[in-house]
Structures are given as C-alpha cells and as structure tokens.
Amino acid sequence: DKNNTTNWGSASVATTNQWLQYVFPDEVFISTVTVLPYSPPYNPVNCRIERSSDGVSFEAVKTFVMANSVLNTIEITKAGFYRYWRLFVENSGGGNIGVHELDFTGFVKP
C-alpha cells in the first residue's frame, strides 16, 4: 500500500512457516521483488521467493537472508510466467514476524 506505517504480521507466534502471497489476474513474469521488513525482532530472516501456476504446488526461485530494517531487492533470473507469487518465511524459532512492503515488478504475459 506504499505506507510504511502499515504492515502484514503473522497472526500469532510464528512457530510454523509463514508466507505472504499475491495472486495476479493474469500470468506474469517477475524480475524483481522488493521487501521492506518490519524492525527487529519481528523481521523475517530466512526467506525465499516462490511461484506457482495453480496456487497449490510452489517452486522456489530465489532463497535469501533478509537484511534488517532496510529495503531488500531480490533479482529473479529464472524465466517463467505464473499467477501465484509469494514471499515464504522459514520458521526461525518462534516470535511474530512482519513485513511493511512487498512489491513484485515484472510484466504480463503477451
């Protein structure tokens, strides 16, 4: 929502893996993902960007460690057009996690 005073947060103590997903109306190729995490100790750490054509079976396209309290830019080099894209956060031992902004940049399938 381009508003750093709002955020997505896990519903409770994150004892399981969490994800923040977006479903596009059409298949898209994503080239860059930017993530602004919530401040420590709530920021995600071990993450990956995943994609899916059916919303059930996901494929990891990039694994990374989230930098604290700064905008993280993740380049996606694996080609493909998909409707479902998500930020997947591996369980890091508990505690709530949060994200201020998640932005997918790319283009719609011609």
Side-chain angles (χ1 to χ4, degrees), residues 30-98:
I30 298 298
S31 57
T32 306
V33 179
T34 53
V35 185
L36 180 59
Y38 204 77
S39 58
Y42 306 109
N43 62 295
V45 178
N46 297 313
C47 303
R48 62 184 180 255
I49 302 299
E50 297 182 333
R51 65 188 184 187
S52 172
S53 56
D54 61 9
V56 177
S57 298
F58 282 83
E59 170 191 20
V61 293
K62 187 75 168 195
T63 300
F64 63 100
V65 173
M66 184 86 64
N68 289 341
S69 304
V70 297
L71 190 63
N72 291 257
T73 301
I74 300 94
E75 301 291 330
I76 306 298
T77 57
K78 213 169 189 183
F81 290 88
Y82 295 85
R83 286 192 59 220
Y84 300 84
W85 288 84
R86 70 185 185 183
L87 169 67
F88 185 95
V89 182
E90 294 178 13
N91 177 21
S92 58
N96 289 18
I97 54 174

